Amino acid sequence: MEYFVTGLKMSGYPDIDRVENEDILESMFSETDDLELKRRIRRRQRDIREKRFAEYESQRQIRFQRDEDAVTARLRRAEEEKQRKMREFEEQSRLRREAAGTGDEALRQRHAAAEEEKQKKLDGYRRMGQIMSTAYNTGVNDLLRDKHKPGLEHGANRANLTAHDSGPSKAVTGFGGTSYGPKTASTSRQESLNQNALTRNPNTIKQKLLDWSKAQVDGYPNVNVTNFSTSWNDGLAFCALIHRFYPNAFDFNQLNPKNRRGNFTLAFEMAQKLADIDPLLDVEDMVSMKNPDWKSVFTYVQSFYRQFATQRQ
């Protein structure tokens, strides 16, 4: 019998160990009746299978190792990413804690500053209340003392304060030769009012101070004093009142009724600087109110009355 193994023609018993193809071995097994050859063929087939299994197992191990390395690498990278994120989280937490600490400190400082400012305002209000109470009582006494005296001639007092002759029959002259002040009729009306007897009726006192204020600002543009609230809400009445006695201190014609803050600031500063009249009113409070508190205005105007109307030559 002849066999062809790996391209070689063999007779008798071929070299079975050289055969690598199981199909050929199976064909040889089917065609031969030689039991010894059959055993050799089966043994060879078993060797081939074991060899193939060993190769497969080796490849499997290689693939497993490769996959295991890939998984390990992924796990390692995941762990590294986890550690990195943990560090970032801890750093952010630290920064937030520091920021929170800084924010709390800043908040405490703001609260402390606000509390200090509050105390300052309260102290100022208390002092203002004391001054206003004293001013009100003093002003009432001044007004009552005048009830048996002849009419106040404010022109005589202004003669001491300015270089101009500002008697009852003459108007006050300010910047640019502009004349301000009561006309002859207003002066006569004031004298008549001052000659009337006063009682201790608060309304009578309030009315006399209002009439005195009207007489001082008579003739000033955009100024019309009819009460102690809205008539003073743009600051011009205060400016006119201080300008009446210090006509060269500023140019009244340059004032704008819409510039309320500027008018209040000018009047209060000039009154304190020139006449030593304490600023009992606050600029911001006056600007914020359309209808100022008449009692506060009344008390402040009394300071002008005591400063100017009660002085004699």
Side-chain angles (χ1 to χ4, degrees):
M1 183 178 293
E2 295 181 351
Y3 299 95
F4 293 88
V5 181
T6 63
L8 299 176
K9 183 178 179 181
M10 300 183 62
S11 300
Y13 294 101
D15 188 358
I16 300 301
D17 294 335
R18 295 178 60 189
V19 179
E20 300 291 340
N21 192 317
E22 284 192 79
D23 292 337
I24 294 176
L25 292 173
E26 189 64 31
S27 178
M28 291 171 64
F29 182 86
S30 300
E31 292 177 0
T32 184
D33 295 328
D34 190 333
L35 294 179
E36 181 63 23
L37 183 58
K38 283 182 178 290
R39 283 195 297 270
R40 290 179 60 191
I41 290 173
R42 289 305 183 194
R43 189 168 53 250
R44 179 58 184 166
Q45 286 178 330
R46 186 172 58 252
D47 292 342
I48 291 174
R49 291 190 187 99
E50 289 178 356
K51 179 181 179 182
R52 184 180 300 149
F53 179 78
E55 291 177 352
Y56 171 79
E57 185 65 19
S58 177
Q59 292 297 324
R60 190 184 70 81
Q61 290 294 333
I62 293 173
R63 288 194 300 272
F64 177 78
Q65 186 64 39
R66 185 170 61 246
D67 293 343
E68 186 179 29
D69 292 343
V71 172
T72 302
R74 286 197 297 272
L75 290 175
R76 186 183 67 255
R77 289 194 295 271
E79 183 65 21
E80 292 174 353
E81 182 67 13
K82 174 184 174 182
Q83 293 299 326
R84 184 184 65 81
K85 289 185 177 180
M86 287 296 295
R87 289 193 297 272
E88 290 181 354
F89 177 78
E90 291 175 356
E91 179 65 16
Q92 291 174 359
S93 298
R94 184 184 64 80
L95 293 176
R96 282 195 295 270
R97 287 194 299 271
E98 292 179 356
T102 304
D104 291 342
E105 181 62 25
L107 184 61
R108 284 193 292 270
Q109 291 178 358
R110 289 197 295 271
H111 284 170
E115 184 65 22
E116 183 179 355
E117 183 66 21
K118 174 184 174 182
Q119 290 301 324
K120 288 182 179 178
K121 286 188 177 181
L122 289 175
D123 293 341
Y125 292 150
R126 281 192 290 267
R127 289 194 298 271
M128 182 179 294
Q130 294 172 355
I131 295 173
M132 291 177 68
S133 177
T134 303
Y136 180 83
N137 295 330
T138 304
V140 169
N141 293 332
D142 290 342
L143 289 169
L144 291 174
R145 276 200 306 270
D146 291 339
K147 68 178 182 178
H148 298 303
K149 295 180 181 180
L152 296 178
E153 297 183 0
H154 52 272
N157 176 56
R158 289 195 298 274
N160 292 329
L161 303 175
T162 68
H164 298 278
D165 182 6
S166 303
S169 61
K170 295 184 180 181
V172 175
T173 302
F175 284 92
T178 303
S179 297
Y180 305 91
K183 303 176 181 62
T184 303
S186 299
T187 303
S188 300
R189 183 170 60 255
Q190 183 190 12
E191 291 176 351
S192 175
L193 287 168
N194 289 335
Q195 290 171 353
N196 292 330
L198 284 176
T199 67
R200 290 183 176 272
N201 189 330
N203 291 330
T204 304
I205 297 171
K206 178 181 176 183
Q207 186 60 45
K208 178 176 179 179
L209 186 62
L210 181 63
D211 291 339
W212 178 83
S213 302
K214 291 168 62 176
Q216 306 313 308
V217 301
D218 189 24
Y220 281 86
N222 299 316
V223 178
N224 182 26
V225 174
T226 60
N227 55 57
F228 285 109
S229 181
T230 55
S231 297
W232 307 78
N233 66 359
D234 60 4
L236 285 184
F238 292 112
C239 292
L241 195 56
I242 192 66
H243 189 269
R244 154 61 67 190
F245 300 100
Y246 296 95
N248 291 323
F250 55 89
D251 188 353
F252 187 89
N253 285 332
Q254 298 299 317
L255 303 183
N256 185 349
K258 295 181 179 180
N259 186 15
R260 301 173 64 222
R261 187 186 307 276
N263 296 338
F264 287 125
T265 302
L266 175 65
F268 298 164
E269 289 182 354
M270 289 294 102
Q272 185 177 31
K273 177 181 178 180
L274 301 176
D276 197 26
I277 297 175
D278 292 328
L280 303 182
L281 302 179
D282 182 73
V283 173
E284 296 302 325
D285 290 343
M286 294 297 292
V287 171
S288 65
M289 293 186 292
K290 183 177 181 180
N291 299 322
D293 177 43
W294 76 266
K295 294 180 182 178
S296 300
V297 175
F298 173 77
T299 302
Y300 185 50
V301 174
Q302 284 185 66
S303 301
F304 287 84
Y305 181 87
R306 291 195 310 273
Q307 183 69 20
F308 302 122
T310 62
Q311 292 182 1
R312 298 288 187 271
Q313 281 186 312

PDB file of all heavy atoms in Angstrom, residues 121 125 260-261 264-265 268 281-290:
ATOM      1  N   LYS A 121     -25.234 107.286  64.868  1.00  0.00           N
ATOM      2  CA  LYS A 121     -26.465 107.976  64.507  1.00  0.00           C
ATOM      3  C   LYS A 121     -27.377 108.151  65.716  1.00  0.00           C
ATOM      4  O   LYS A 121     -27.988 109.212  65.897  1.00  0.00           O
ATOM      5  CB  LYS A 121     -27.191 107.200  63.406  1.00  0.00           C
ATOM      6  CG  LYS A 121     -26.538 107.311  62.042  1.00  0.00           C
ATOM      7  CD  LYS A 121     -27.404 106.686  60.973  1.00  0.00           C
ATOM      8  CE  LYS A 121     -26.782 106.876  59.586  1.00  0.00           C
ATOM      9  NZ  LYS A 121     -27.644 106.297  58.525  1.00  0.00           N
ATOM     10  N   TYR A 125     -28.698 111.524  67.121  1.00  0.00           N
ATOM     11  CA  TYR A 125     -30.113 111.833  67.317  1.00  0.00           C
ATOM     12  C   TYR A 125     -30.390 112.286  68.744  1.00  0.00           C
ATOM     13  O   TYR A 125     -31.203 113.190  68.972  1.00  0.00           O
ATOM     14  CB  TYR A 125     -30.968 110.602  66.987  1.00  0.00           C
ATOM     15  CG  TYR A 125     -30.973 110.235  65.530  1.00  0.00           C
ATOM     16  CD1 TYR A 125     -31.138 108.920  65.122  1.00  0.00           C
ATOM     17  CD2 TYR A 125     -30.817 111.210  64.542  1.00  0.00           C
ATOM     18  CE1 TYR A 125     -31.134 108.575  63.779  1.00  0.00           C
ATOM     19  CE2 TYR A 125     -30.806 110.887  63.200  1.00  0.00           C
ATOM     20  CZ  TYR A 125     -30.972 109.560  62.822  1.00  0.00           C
ATOM     21  OH  TYR A 125     -30.973 109.221  61.503  1.00  0.00           O
ATOM     22  N   ARG A 260     -31.825 120.389  45.139  1.00  0.00           N
ATOM     23  CA  ARG A 260     -32.207 120.431  46.548  1.00  0.00           C
ATOM     24  C   ARG A 260     -31.022 120.117  47.457  1.00  0.00           C
ATOM     25  O   ARG A 260     -30.795 120.800  48.462  1.00  0.00           O
ATOM     26  CB  ARG A 260     -33.341 119.446  46.790  1.00  0.00           C
ATOM     27  CG  ARG A 260     -34.588 119.736  45.953  1.00  0.00           C
ATOM     28  CD  ARG A 260     -35.629 118.633  46.111  1.00  0.00           C
ATOM     29  NE  ARG A 260     -36.112 118.555  47.471  1.00  0.00           N
ATOM     30  CZ  ARG A 260     -36.327 117.412  48.119  1.00  0.00           C
ATOM     31  NH1 ARG A 260     -36.055 116.260  47.524  1.00  0.00           N
ATOM     32  NH2 ARG A 260     -36.785 117.416  49.366  1.00  0.00           N
ATOM     33  N   ARG A 261     -30.264 119.080  47.119  1.00  0.00           N
ATOM     34  CA  ARG A 261     -29.135 118.706  47.961  1.00  0.00           C
ATOM     35  C   ARG A 261     -28.127 119.850  48.064  1.00  0.00           C
ATOM     36  O   ARG A 261     -27.616 120.171  49.141  1.00  0.00           O
ATOM     37  CB  ARG A 261     -28.462 117.454  47.401  1.00  0.00           C
ATOM     38  CG  ARG A 261     -27.370 116.882  48.312  1.00  0.00           C
ATOM     39  CD  ARG A 261     -26.656 115.722  47.599  1.00  0.00           C
ATOM     40  NE  ARG A 261     -27.587 114.729  47.129  1.00  0.00           N
ATOM     41  CZ  ARG A 261     -28.078 113.747  47.880  1.00  0.00           C
ATOM     42  NH1 ARG A 261     -27.696 113.654  49.148  1.00  0.00           N
ATOM     43  NH2 ARG A 261     -28.939 112.871  47.391  1.00  0.00           N
ATOM     44  N   PHE A 264     -29.606 122.716  50.310  1.00  0.00           N
ATOM     45  CA  PHE A 264     -29.552 122.405  51.741  1.00  0.00           C
ATOM     46  C   PHE A 264     -28.116 122.481  52.261  1.00  0.00           C
ATOM     47  O   PHE A 264     -27.862 123.034  53.338  1.00  0.00           O
ATOM     48  CB  PHE A 264     -30.128 121.012  52.004  1.00  0.00           C
ATOM     49  CG  PHE A 264     -31.621 120.935  51.865  1.00  0.00           C
ATOM     50  CD1 PHE A 264     -32.208 120.011  51.008  1.00  0.00           C
ATOM     51  CD2 PHE A 264     -32.449 121.776  52.590  1.00  0.00           C
ATOM     52  CE1 PHE A 264     -33.573 119.926  50.883  1.00  0.00           C
ATOM     53  CE2 PHE A 264     -33.838 121.695  52.462  1.00  0.00           C
ATOM     54  CZ  PHE A 264     -34.401 120.773  51.601  1.00  0.00           C
ATOM     55  N   THR A 265     -27.203 121.897  51.488  1.00  0.00           N
ATOM     56  CA  THR A 265     -25.802 121.891  51.927  1.00  0.00           C
ATOM     57  C   THR A 265     -25.265 123.312  52.065  1.00  0.00           C
ATOM     58  O   THR A 265     -24.610 123.651  53.057  1.00  0.00           O
ATOM     59  CB  THR A 265     -24.939 121.100  50.929  1.00  0.00           C
ATOM     60  OG1 THR A 265     -25.438 119.760  50.821  1.00  0.00           O
ATOM     61  CG2 THR A 265     -23.483 121.050  51.379  1.00  0.00           C
ATOM     62  N   PHE A 268     -27.021 125.156  55.175  1.00  0.00           N
ATOM     63  CA  PHE A 268     -26.600 124.667  56.496  1.00  0.00           C
ATOM     64  C   PHE A 268     -25.140 125.016  56.769  1.00  0.00           C
ATOM     65  O   PHE A 268     -24.787 125.396  57.896  1.00  0.00           O
ATOM     66  CB  PHE A 268     -26.811 123.160  56.587  1.00  0.00           C
ATOM     67  CG  PHE A 268     -28.264 122.741  56.451  1.00  0.00           C
ATOM     68  CD1 PHE A 268     -28.597 121.415  56.174  1.00  0.00           C
ATOM     69  CD2 PHE A 268     -29.285 123.670  56.574  1.00  0.00           C
ATOM     70  CE1 PHE A 268     -29.920 121.027  56.047  1.00  0.00           C
ATOM     71  CE2 PHE A 268     -30.616 123.293  56.446  1.00  0.00           C
ATOM     72  CZ  PHE A 268     -30.933 121.971  56.175  1.00  0.00           C
ATOM     73  N   LEU A 281     -30.646 120.099  61.218  1.00  0.00           N
ATOM     74  CA  LEU A 281     -31.273 119.270  60.180  1.00  0.00           C
ATOM     75  C   LEU A 281     -30.187 118.553  59.382  1.00  0.00           C
ATOM     76  O   LEU A 281     -29.096 119.080  59.192  1.00  0.00           O
ATOM     77  CB  LEU A 281     -32.131 120.129  59.241  1.00  0.00           C
ATOM     78  CG  LEU A 281     -33.263 120.927  59.902  1.00  0.00           C
ATOM     79  CD1 LEU A 281     -34.007 121.744  58.860  1.00  0.00           C
ATOM     80  CD2 LEU A 281     -34.223 119.992  60.620  1.00  0.00           C
ATOM     81  N   ASP A 282     -30.517 117.357  58.907  1.00  0.00           N
ATOM     82  CA  ASP A 282     -29.588 116.559  58.119  1.00  0.00           C
ATOM     83  C   ASP A 282     -29.931 116.691  56.644  1.00  0.00           C
ATOM     84  O   ASP A 282     -31.107 116.590  56.250  1.00  0.00           O
ATOM     85  CB  ASP A 282     -29.671 115.081  58.543  1.00  0.00           C
ATOM     86  CG  ASP A 282     -28.677 114.228  57.778  1.00  0.00           C
ATOM     87  OD1 ASP A 282     -27.471 114.313  58.045  1.00  0.00           O
ATOM     88  OD2 ASP A 282     -29.123 113.478  56.888  1.00  0.00           O
ATOM     89  N   VAL A 283     -28.901 116.917  55.820  1.00  0.00           N
ATOM     90  CA  VAL A 283     -29.130 117.125  54.382  1.00  0.00           C
ATOM     91  C   VAL A 283     -29.820 115.916  53.765  1.00  0.00           C
ATOM     92  O   VAL A 283     -30.795 116.051  53.009  1.00  0.00           O
ATOM     93  CB  VAL A 283     -27.785 117.410  53.666  1.00  0.00           C
ATOM     94  CG1 VAL A 283     -28.004 117.445  52.148  1.00  0.00           C
ATOM     95  CG2 VAL A 283     -27.196 118.726  54.137  1.00  0.00           C
ATOM     96  N   GLU A 284     -29.325 114.715  54.074  1.00  0.00           N
ATOM     97  CA  GLU A 284     -29.893 113.510  53.473  1.00  0.00           C
ATOM     98  C   GLU A 284     -31.350 113.327  53.877  1.00  0.00           C
ATOM     99  O   GLU A 284     -32.183 112.920  53.062  1.00  0.00           O
ATOM    100  CB  GLU A 284     -29.068 112.279  53.865  1.00  0.00           C
ATOM    101  CG  GLU A 284     -27.639 112.295  53.354  1.00  0.00           C
ATOM    102  CD  GLU A 284     -27.564 112.399  51.834  1.00  0.00           C
ATOM    103  OE1 GLU A 284     -28.444 111.825  51.161  1.00  0.00           O
ATOM    104  OE2 GLU A 284     -26.647 113.063  51.330  1.00  0.00           O
ATOM    105  N   ASP A 285     -31.661 113.609  55.145  1.00  0.00           N
ATOM    106  CA  ASP A 285     -33.046 113.490  55.588  1.00  0.00           C
ATOM    107  C   ASP A 285     -33.944 114.476  54.849  1.00  0.00           C
ATOM    108  O   ASP A 285     -35.062 114.128  54.433  1.00  0.00           O
ATOM    109  CB  ASP A 285     -33.137 113.736  57.099  1.00  0.00           C
ATOM    110  CG  ASP A 285     -32.510 112.612  57.900  1.00  0.00           C
ATOM    111  OD1 ASP A 285     -32.314 111.524  57.331  1.00  0.00           O
ATOM    112  OD2 ASP A 285     -32.209 112.823  59.094  1.00  0.00           O
ATOM    113  N   MET A 286     -33.482 115.692  54.678  1.00  0.00           N
ATOM    114  CA  MET A 286     -34.282 116.707  53.999  1.00  0.00           C
ATOM    115  C   MET A 286     -34.487 116.352  52.526  1.00  0.00           C
ATOM    116  O   MET A 286     -35.574 116.564  51.967  1.00  0.00           O
ATOM    117  CB  MET A 286     -33.615 118.075  54.126  1.00  0.00           C
ATOM    118  CG  MET A 286     -33.557 118.609  55.554  1.00  0.00           C
ATOM    119  SD  MET A 286     -35.213 118.877  56.263  1.00  0.00           S
ATOM    120  CE  MET A 286     -35.792 120.242  55.262  1.00  0.00           C
ATOM    121  N   VAL A 287     -33.447 115.807  51.891  1.00  0.00           N
ATOM    122  CA  VAL A 287     -33.565 115.434  50.476  1.00  0.00           C
ATOM    123  C   VAL A 287     -34.552 114.284  50.303  1.00  0.00           C
ATOM    124  O   VAL A 287     -35.296 114.217  49.315  1.00  0.00           O
ATOM    125  CB  VAL A 287     -32.178 115.047  49.914  1.00  0.00           C
ATOM    126  CG1 VAL A 287     -32.314 114.449  48.514  1.00  0.00           C
ATOM    127  CG2 VAL A 287     -31.271 116.274  49.858  1.00  0.00           C
ATOM    128  N   SER A 288     -34.563 113.370  51.264  1.00  0.00           N
ATOM    129  CA  SER A 288     -35.426 112.186  51.133  1.00  0.00           C
ATOM    130  C   SER A 288     -36.895 112.481  51.423  1.00  0.00           C
ATOM    131  O   SER A 288     -37.760 111.671  51.100  1.00  0.00           O
ATOM    132  CB  SER A 288     -34.936 111.083  52.087  1.00  0.00           C
ATOM    133  OG  SER A 288     -35.071 111.489  53.435  1.00  0.00           O
ATOM    134  N   MET A 289     -37.195 113.625  52.028  1.00  0.00           N
ATOM    135  CA  MET A 289     -38.582 113.929  52.408  1.00  0.00           C
ATOM    136  C   MET A 289     -39.165 115.016  51.512  1.00  0.00           C
ATOM    137  O   MET A 289     -38.569 116.081  51.333  1.00  0.00           O
ATOM    138  CB  MET A 289     -38.644 114.380  53.876  1.00  0.00           C
ATOM    139  CG  MET A 289     -38.289 113.290  54.871  1.00  0.00           C
ATOM    140  SD  MET A 289     -38.537 113.817  56.591  1.00  0.00           S
ATOM    141  CE  MET A 289     -37.240 115.072  56.724  1.00  0.00           C
ATOM    142  N   LYS A 290     -40.344 114.723  50.956  1.00  0.00           N
ATOM    143  CA  LYS A 290     -41.050 115.731  50.177  1.00  0.00           C
ATOM    144  C   LYS A 290     -41.734 116.729  51.103  1.00  0.00           C
ATOM    145  O   LYS A 290     -41.836 117.914  50.793  1.00  0.00           O
ATOM    146  CB  LYS A 290     -42.084 115.056  49.270  1.00  0.00           C
ATOM    147  CG  LYS A 290     -42.812 116.022  48.358  1.00  0.00           C
ATOM    148  CD  LYS A 290     -43.770 115.283  47.431  1.00  0.00           C
ATOM    149  CE  LYS A 290     -44.488 116.249  46.506  1.00  0.00           C
ATOM    150  NZ  LYS A 290     -45.428 115.543  45.606  1.00  0.00           N
TER     151      LYS A 290
END
